[in-house]
Amino acid sequence: MNKTTLYTLKSLYRDDFRVTGYEFGSGKKSVCIVGSSRGNEVQQLYCCSQLIRKFRQLEAEGRIAAGHKILVLPSINPCSMNIQKRFWPTDNTDINRMFPGYCLGETTQRIADGVFREISEYQFGIQFTSFYMPGDFVPHVRLMDEGFSCPETARQFGLPYVVIRRVRPYDTATLNYNWQVWDTQAFSLYTTSTARIDPNSAGQAVLAVMNFLSRQDIIKYTVPGGLRSRVVNDADLISIRTAKSGIFVPMVKAGDTVEAGQPLANILEPYEGDILETLYAPLPMTAFFVHNEPLTYADTAVIKLIES
Amino acid sequence: MIKKVASVGLPVDEVLEIRKNRILPERHGGSGKRISIVTGIHGDELEGQYVCFELQRRLEGHRECLEGIVDIYPAVNPLGIDSITRGIPAFDLDMNRLFPGNIDGSMTEYVAARIIEDLAGSDCVLDIHASNIYLTEIPQIRINELHQDILVPLAEAANVDFIWVHGASTVLESTLAYSLNNIGTPTLVVEMGVGMRITQEYGNQLVDGIFHLMKKLGIWSGEAAPVRKPIISRNPEDVCYLNAGVSGLFVPVAEHGARLGRDALIGRIVDPLCGKVLDEVRAPEDGMLFTIREYPIVVEGSLMGRLLKKEVCGYE
Ligand SMILES: [Zn+2]
């Protein structure tokens, strides 16, 4: 293992902003794994820490295949993590909307540029990331429909689902999108949680990465069976929307299978406790995403269902 | 007449309403044309608030000269304005990345779609911004090069100092202005002043421009002061960006709008802990300082100013 500082930015009163990378193996740039890019992505950080622990062990046991280099960046935004703010401290910009970056530009453009120089040109790029809406997910791999990350390759993670996302204009400045522009096959990994640690889904994500790397012959690791992921387009998810604002009381968890007509959640009147509405499953499916805040707005997709 | 553009119930005993004021001509007939003034997409940019007020104050004096419709939308992001938040609070979303929205979408997408529906068909829309809380700007209009043929002549009537025609970018396709221009509703993006403040001088200048524009469009038959001739820049090379080379406290020396010679001192970046000057910020070329940093703390990369090259400004 080789621990290096990939990027540094001096601050006036705080410690230097450092992006730290952990290298395992040597040779061609095979895979780069990026953890948190926002200050609240603690689960993403945790997943990387568990991977680093695993890779150290594999390296010591000589189980990283010759000629392959693995780079892990547990966080590209420690500065925001330390003040518990999702975006950049001074200007609230999102580093994951600044790629490929610009070395003469604004602060977060410079960070994106400095980091991207170190993490591009890998064959595979894996990013642990989060959704802009608060909620729990079934662990899955996401890839963009433009570009050349292929769903068959994504299946090698062995997670229950591979979701293909239609590219929207604001996606073009994300790390995933820009990795692909520069010929890296990019995959975004979503685990259950973001702002709190969910050890089980983190474990599932670590195993998924191990699955993938062993199927690519980058590491030697015995993968038990592994399931065949279902490939779904994001347009095929069924959004269950609230009609009312109020207190959100879910009756299912992410990953639960539901029957047609099963109540999924109630929205309560916040002062008097009456049930304003009950949300039902229209079809037998699996709860893929479940909102996890106690309040909800109207017209919000609080639950997303996916075919089982 | 106050009209509701969009309305959404919030979780706890509150209704979010986006409202506009529609000002109609006193007599029937008229030109049937419509100008729409929009501001507050970024909740911490308040220069447009004064413009909305001042425009109505002046209209009130000579309502008989109004020949068309004036729609005023002072707060399209009311939660942001109330909480001194640039984006939409609770979602941490930049509202100007949500357009054209989706009428069947989430609350924020629905509100965006309703705003577009309501503005569509205007003969001209002004979307008034105030830079951000870090930088002060001279009154200017920013135009996507894709729409310059229609927009530059309108912008020239708006009494701004500068028209900046910039390159197309995919990310900007989700702005209000792009979405409206894309459906054939001419929309000008005004940037002036600084966030969290009002600069009355700039506001008055723009209101003069709005009257001039209304006269050109056949919405106003009364007096309209002559407008200044703006500098127009179409080449990205015309503008020099001054980004901080080190983190520190930026102490400006040059005045906003100053015409500077090459190497003129613009400001210093200092370290208050050690009492040292860390860097001197100097003009890389002859030019006019059309943007200057207002918020004093800088991090490496922070923008401290922008310079428009002398040959573009056309001064001696
Ligand atoms: Zn703005």
Side-chain angles (χ1 to χ4, degrees):
Chain A
M1 185 187 82
N2 183 21
K3 179 181 172 184
T4 53
T5 302
L6 302 176
Y7 183 80
T8 310
L9 188 85
K10 289 220 172 298
S11 162
L12 179 58
Y13 295 126
R14 286 178 68 174
D15 191 3
D16 290 354
F17 168 82
R18 284 180 296 273
V19 176
T20 304
Y22 291 80
E23 271 178 31
F24 302 91
S26 61
K28 72 167 183 141
K29 294 176 160 187
S30 293
V31 57
C32 175
I33 301 168
V34 174
S36 72
S37 58
R38 283 97 177 215
N40 66 336
E41 293 179 344
V42 185
Q43 168 84 347
Q44 289 73 4
L45 172 80
Y46 178 76
C47 287
C48 282
S49 71
Q50 298 309 299
L51 274 172
I52 287 169
R53 208 161 63 103
K54 204 83 194 166
F55 288 144
R56 270 165 79 173
Q57 180 201 337
L58 292 181
E59 196 175 50
E61 294 168 356
R63 289 158 66 190
I64 294 178
H68 290 283
K69 185 165 89 177
I70 303 168
L71 174 66
V72 188
L73 284 62
S75 175
I76 60 170
N77 193 355
C79 217
S80 295
M81 300 202 85
N82 289 330
I83 59 166
Q84 303 189 21
K85 191 167 181 286
R86 185 163 159 86
F87 298 133
W88 185 249
T90 44
D91 62 8
N92 209 41
T93 53
D94 182 359
I95 297 177
N96 201 27
R97 290 281 182 278
M98 290 293 161
F99 287 97
Y102 176 46
C103 66
L104 300 175
E106 295 253 4
T107 311
T108 46
Q109 291 176 309
R110 291 182 184 211
I111 295 169
D113 169 79
V115 170
F116 197 65
R117 282 168 196 271
E118 301 290 336
I119 67 175
S120 53
E121 295 170 358
Y122 278 79
Q123 185 186 359
F124 299 110
I126 301 169
Q127 185 184 14
F128 288 94
T129 188
S130 65
F131 192 50
Y132 76 100
M133 300 274 278
D136 293 340
F137 274 109
V138 172
H140 66 282
V141 188
R142 254 183 222 217
L143 46 102
M144 306 259 188
D145 62 354
E146 293 172 15
F148 58 93
S149 307
C150 105
E152 256 340 288
T153 315
R155 276 190 160 138
Q156 293 178 352
F157 285 95
L159 285 172
Y161 293 98
V162 170
V163 176
I164 301 170
R165 177 177 165 81
R166 184 174 56 83
V167 173
R168 294 156 175 84
Y170 52 81
D171 287 328
T172 56
T174 60
L175 172 59
N176 185 305
Y177 186 92
N178 284 281
W179 254 339
Q180 309 220 47
V181 170
W182 303 86
D183 293 350
T184 293
Q185 294 186 53
F187 304 100
S188 298
L189 242 62
Y190 286 76
T191 71
T192 302
S193 63
T194 296
R196 58 196 162 74
I197 290 170
D198 179 277
N200 290 352
S201 76
Q204 206 178 344
V206 168
L207 272 182
V209 173
M210 305 303 273
N211 266 329
F212 181 81
L213 297 186
S214 89
R215 286 171 182 165
Q216 289 292 334
D217 295 322
I218 295 170
I219 60 169
K220 296 187 191 76
Y221 191 81
T222 318
V223 185
L227 72 179
R228 183 158 170 81
S229 320
R230 215 171 240 287
V231 178
V232 180
N233 285 301
D234 62 350
D236 296 333
L237 298 178
I238 293 188
S239 291
I240 307 296
R241 292 179 182 279
T242 52
K244 309 276 185 193
S245 295
I247 292 176
F248 175 72
V249 185
M251 290 182 262
V252 290
K253 300 189 305 298
D256 288 356
T257 52
V258 299
E259 290 168 32
Q262 182 177 332
L264 302 174
N266 282 328
I267 310 301
L268 307 185
E269 204 289 325
Y271 285 175
E272 296 160 21
D274 296 333
I275 296 176
L276 295 174
E277 67 172 326
T278 301
L279 304 174
Y280 296 96
L283 294 166
M285 294 184 95
T286 294
F288 183 67
F289 170 82
V290 181
H291 177 85
N292 66 3
E293 293 285 329
L295 296 180
T296 181
Y297 295 98
D299 304 314
T300 302
V302 283
I303 294 174
K304 290 183 184 182
L305 300 177
I306 197 165
E307 52 186 279
S308 298
Chain B
M1 142 190 36
I2 308 296
K3 292 193 162 191
K4 210 187 291 174
V5 177
S7 167
V8 188
L10 296 179
V12 187
D13 200 13
E14 182 180 351
V15 176
L16 167 68
E17 276 191 3
I18 317 285
R19 282 173 297 203
K20 71 168 177 185
N21 192 359
R22 167 157 285 189
I23 304 164
L24 293 164
E26 280 181 335
R27 52 192 171 80
H28 285 287
S31 67
K33 299 267 180 136
R34 168 160 64 119
I35 189 168
S36 297
I37 311 298
V38 184
T39 194
I41 284 191
H42 293 138
D44 59 359
E45 299 178 14
L46 305 175
E47 300 278 7
Q49 300 297 314
Y50 175 77
V51 173
C52 291
F53 168 77
E54 179 62 13
L55 173 63
Q56 296 193 63
R57 191 190 66 78
R58 291 203 217 165
L59 278 170
E60 231 13 75
H62 296 279
R63 279 291 293 280
E64 71 284 0
C65 301
L66 188 62
E67 307 287 341
I69 300 167
V70 181
D71 274 344
I72 295 178
Y73 305 69
V76 290
N77 175 12
L79 300 178
I81 294 178
D82 178 68
S83 57
I84 326 177
T85 310
R86 182 175 176 83
I88 303 180
F91 295 89
D92 229 338
L93 280 179
D94 183 340
M95 189 176 192
N96 214 16
R97 296 288 179 275
L98 289 175
F99 293 99
N102 175 358
I103 209 82
D104 300 313
S106 65
M107 169 182 126
T108 52
E109 292 168 323
Y110 165 78
V111 167
R114 279 294 306 131
I115 290 167
I116 293 277
E117 252 180 30
D118 210 80
L119 287 165
S122 300
D123 296 280
C124 184
V125 177
L126 255 66
D127 175 19
I128 304 172
H129 290 253
S131 180
N132 52 42
I133 62 170
Y134 311 104
L135 304 166
T136 305
E137 300 280 2
I138 61 168
Q140 60 195 271
I141 286 174
R142 295 192 186 157
I143 293 173
N144 189 318
E145 61 184 5
L146 297 173
H147 308 122
Q148 58 173 314
D149 294 347
I150 294 163
L151 298 185
V152 170
L154 290 171
E156 283 177 314
N159 203 31
V160 292
D161 295 277
F162 178 34
I163 297 173
W164 192 354
V165 181
H166 60 81
S169 125
T170 324
V171 172
L172 296 179
E173 286 173 17
S174 36
T175 61
L176 174 71
Y178 182 93
S179 303
L180 286 170
N181 282 310
N182 198 35
I183 55 168
T185 297
T187 303
L188 299 170
V189 177
V190 178
E191 287 282 3
M192 63 178 197
V194 62
M196 295 193 188
R197 296 285 181 274
I198 56 170
T199 313
Q200 291 189 39
E201 178 199 344
Y202 290 168
N204 292 332
Q205 179 182 334
L206 184 65
V207 173
D208 286 345
I210 293 172
F211 275 97
H212 199 269
L213 194 56
M214 290 198 298
K215 191 146 188 171
K216 183 182 162 100
L217 293 168
I219 296 171
W220 181 250
S221 60
E223 292 288 306
V227 294
R228 56 189 78 193
K229 189 173 160 48
I231 301 162
I232 303 180
S233 164
R234 290 189 166 85
N235 182 353
E237 307 280 300
D238 293 347
V239 176
C240 305
Y241 292 76
L242 306 161
N243 294 84
V246 292
S247 303
L249 181 79
F250 174 69
V251 183
V253 173
E255 293 279 331
H256 184 213
R259 294 162 173 190
L260 303 170
R262 179 195 278 265
D263 283 334
L265 188 64
I266 291 171
R268 296 183 178 89
I269 301 177
V270 304
D271 177 352
L273 177 65
C274 307
K276 289 213 164 61
V277 175
L278 301 172
D279 200 11
E280 287 190 330
V281 186
R282 292 184 177 275
E285 308 240 2
D286 294 348
M288 189 253 291
L289 189 65
F290 73 97
T291 307
I292 185 140
R293 189 161 185 99
E294 193 74 28
Y295 187 79
I297 299 290
V298 294
V299 187
E300 185 187 327
S302 298
L303 194 63
M304 297 171 299
R306 295 189 193 96
L307 205 67
L308 189 62
K309 289 181 185 172
K310 180 180 172 181
E311 62 266 25
V312 192
C313 301
Y315 64 85
E316 284 313 310

